[in-house]
Amino acid sequence: GTGRYADLWVCRYLGVDSDEAYVQFARKHSGARFVRADAARLPVRNGRFDMAFCVGVLHHLDDRQVGGMVIEMVRICRPGGMIAMLEPLAPEDGDGLFRRSLARLERGRYFRRLDPLTSLLRGCLGAALQVWRERTRPFDLGLYWVRV
């Protein structure tokens, strides 16, 4: 992405995106390191990082791609490391017209509700996956994390 969160972390940070324009923008606006790469094939040694996180990525990936990315996040984290994912959630039954209308504008083709996304991630990460739902506007957010 744009590297919006890079400067929030006090650490050595590596940002990844498959879009060269995003990588160039992030390099220009942050002091962190950014590379163009496929999130399912990262140019990183096993166990290299204490933490891997993604924000607003999963709704752009189909189930197979999510699985590949999550497996790769596990691979690059050291034992005891942490994986965290923050994702906007598709509106649920009973959500108002405002949320449903905004959801139609969302560019991600795989905008998921909480339960299907949780099931998908549990299938990759197992029962240790922790889930927290933040009720916000315009979309609820799902926060998922697990210790490797």
Side-chain angles (χ1 to χ4, degrees), residues 81-133:
M82 181 71 74
I83 293 173
M85 296 164 278
L86 183 65
E87 187 67 15
L89 300 170
E92 300 282 347
D93 294 337
D95 279 343
L97 179 63
F98 177 68
R99 275 190 189 211
R100 289 193 321 272
S101 297
L102 280 177
R104 285 190 209 106
L105 299 175
E106 172 53 49
R107 292 181 322 176
R109 292 179 45 207
Y110 303 98
F111 205 28
R112 297 171 181 91
R113 293 179 176 187
L114 179 71
D115 289 341
L117 182 55
T118 299
S119 293
L120 174 61
L121 293 174
R122 278 227 165 89
C124 302
L125 295 167
L129 180 70
Q130 301 293 308
V131 180
W132 185 66
R133 181 183 197 148

